Amino acid sequence: MAITVVGSVAFDTVETPAGRRERCLAGAATYFSLSASFFTDVRVIAVVGEDFGATEQAVFDAHKIDTTGIQHALGKSFFWEGSYLENLNEAKTHNTELNVFAGFEPRIPEAYHDSQFLFLANIDPVLQRRVREAMPNAKLVGGDTMNYWIKDHKPALLEVLKGLDVLLINDTETRMLTVSRSIALAAGKIFEMGPKILVVKHGEYGATAFFAPKRADGAERVAHRAFHVPALPLEEVVDPTGAGDSFAGGFFGYLASQKELTPQSFRYAMFYGSVMGSFVVERFGTERLQQLTREEIDHRFRLFRELTHLD
Ligand code: AMP
C-alpha cells in the first residue's frame, strides 16, 4: 500500500568529525521517501526551488518515488546547516532558511488520495495539519517534529498531534514536549495529546516504542507495553543527519508492505526502522541510501536478530 509523505526536500551543509559537505540533497521528506521506497510505493508532497534540478530529480526517479506532489517555485529550496562536532546524537543548527517553504501551499494530487498511510515529516506544523485534514481517509498517520517547532510553535503542533496515530521523536524532543522526568511518564502525557504509539529515538542507543493501553488493560504498567530495539554498534558514524527520518521510512515502509497490522508487525517495523537508520549514517547525506540494495537490508536485518536474540 502506498505512503504519502509531506516534509522538507532540502539542501544541507553538514559538518561532522568525519568532514564537511556543502549543499547535499537532503530534507526530512527526502530521507523518509528514499528509505520507505525499499518497501512500498511512496508519494511526496513538498516544494523545491530553482536549485533543484535534473540531478536531484534523478535520485527520486531511481527509486520510483512519485514526485507529482513536489511543486517547483521561484527562489531557493529549503536550506539547513548544522554540525555534530560535540555530540553525534544531536545536531547543532547554525542556519535554517525556509526559502520557498515560507510561501508553500500544499496541493495534493488526485492520485495520492487513496494512500492508506500518511507521514507528516518534520516541517511547519501548520502545513502538517493542512495535509492531514486534506487526507482524512489515511488509516495510519505518523508524524515527526523537532525542537525548533516545539519551542516556538507549540499550539500549532498540539493541533497536529490530535490527528496522529504514531509520533516518532527523539529523547530531548520528548522531554521538551512533555516536561517529564522519564520517557515512560512522557509517553502517558503524549497519549493524552492524541497518538496511540510513541516511538522515542535514542540515537546510537536505539529506540523505544510505547503503546497506549487499551481500556481493558488500563492498569498495566507502561514497561509492559514498551518495546525496545537497539542501534547497530558502528565503528564510525560519518553523518547522523537523516537517521530519524530514515528510521521512520523503514518503520512505515515496512508497515505499509504488510497485509495486516498486528502487534508483531509493529515490532518488526521497529527493527526495519533501526536497520535503515544504521545505513544512512555510514556516509554523508543521502549517499548511502542512494546506493543501497534490498539484499543489504535483508542481510542487516539478520544481523540485528543475532544482536538481540537469546536462542
Ligand atoms: P533528522 O532525521 O532529524 O536528522 O533530519 C534531518 C533533516 O531535517 C535535514 O536534512 C534537514 O534538511 C531537515 N530539517 C532541519 N531543520 C528543519 C526544519 N526546521 N524543518 C524541516 N526540516 C528540517
Side-chain angles (χ1 to χ4, degrees):
M1 279 177 277
I3 303 189
T4 290
V5 53
V6 61
S8 51
V9 170
F11 289 96
D12 285 0
T13 291
V14 184
E15 195 171 355
T16 79
R20 182 180 168 91
R21 283 286 188 288
E22 304 279 339
R23 297 189 59 81
C24 41
L25 174 65
T30 308
Y31 283 108
F32 179 92
S33 51
L34 286 173
S35 172
S37 72
F38 289 95
F39 303 89
T40 194
D41 294 337
V42 185
R43 301 153 170 181
V44 191
I45 299 169
V47 61
V48 292
E50 293 152 285
D51 44 6
F52 183 97
T55 319
E56 288 76 25
Q57 181 63 42
V59 173
F60 288 86
D61 293 345
H63 288 79
K64 302 197 168 47
I65 296 164
D66 187 336
T67 55
T68 42
I70 297 188
Q71 296 171 37
H72 292 254
L74 293 178
K76 280 185 168 178
S77 300
F78 186 105
F79 174 74
W80 178 79
E81 183 174 350
S83 66
Y84 302 82
L85 297 177
E86 282 148 38
N87 179 359
L88 274 170
N89 282 327
E90 208 162 306
K92 187 162 180 225
T93 295
H94 300 292
N95 190 8
T96 302
E97 291 173 15
L98 292 179
N99 295 330
V100 290
F101 258 102
F104 180 44
E105 297 279 346
R107 275 194 303 272
I108 297 149
E110 199 48 47
Y112 284 21
H113 280 284
D114 63 0
S115 303
Q116 303 238 10
F117 290 77
L118 174 64
F119 189 69
L120 309 173
N122 182 18
I123 195 62
D124 186 339
V126 171
L127 298 174
Q128 290 180 315
R129 187 176 168 202
R130 249 184 248 164
V131 172
R132 172 67 184 104
E133 283 172 356
M135 300 198 58
N137 299 327
K139 86 170 181 197
L140 193 82
V141 185
D144 184 12
T145 190
M146 70 183 291
N147 48 11
Y148 183 86
W149 306 112
I150 300 173
K151 205 164 137 266
D152 296 326
H153 300 252
K154 198 161 173 186
L157 185 61
L158 292 177
E159 285 303 313
V160 174
L161 294 183
K162 289 183 192 165
L164 288 191
D165 299 301
V166 187
L167 175 67
L168 291 97
I169 48 179
N170 69 29
D171 292 284
T172 317
E173 292 154 359
T174 307
R175 287 176 206 275
M176 248 179 112
L177 186 59
T178 60
V179 195
S180 300
R181 291 188 306 281
S182 72
I183 52 166
L185 272 178
K189 291 188 188 171
I190 284 174
F191 297 147
E192 282 167 22
M193 297 174 182
K196 295 181 252 327
I197 299 175
L198 169 69
V199 177
V200 183
K201 297 167 285 178
H202 316 298
E204 67 181 303
Y205 305 112
T208 311
F210 293 93
F211 300 91
K214 298 202 185 67
R215 213 170 296 195
D217 55 22
E220 208 184 1
R221 306 283 303 252
V222 170
H224 299 166
R225 288 177 279 104
F227 183 71
H228 181 76
V229 60
L232 196 66
L234 294 167
E235 274 153 39
E236 191 186 23
V237 169
V238 171
D239 174 11
T241 317
D245 304 305
S246 306
F247 182 104
F251 182 92
F252 281 94
Y254 173 78
L255 289 175
S257 73
Q258 298 302 293
K259 282 201 195 76
E260 254 193 298
L261 295 185
T262 62
Q264 197 204 30
S265 33
F266 282 96
R267 290 169 180 236
Y268 269 72
M270 288 290 288
F271 270 79
Y272 278 107
S274 209
V275 164
M276 298 310 288
S278 77
F279 280 119
V280 73
V281 302
E282 290 179 344
R283 303 258 195 289
F284 276 100
T286 54
E287 282 169 20
R288 186 67 177 98
L289 291 182
Q290 290 187 41
Q291 299 152 358
L292 194 62
T293 64
R294 182 62 212 229
E295 289 68 39
E296 288 178 297
I297 294 172
D298 294 338
H299 180 260
R300 192 158 287 187
F301 183 83
R302 289 193 291 275
L303 209 63
F304 265 84
R305 284 199 117 137
E306 284 164 24
L307 189 68
T308 50
H309 201 66
L310 284 173
D311 281 333

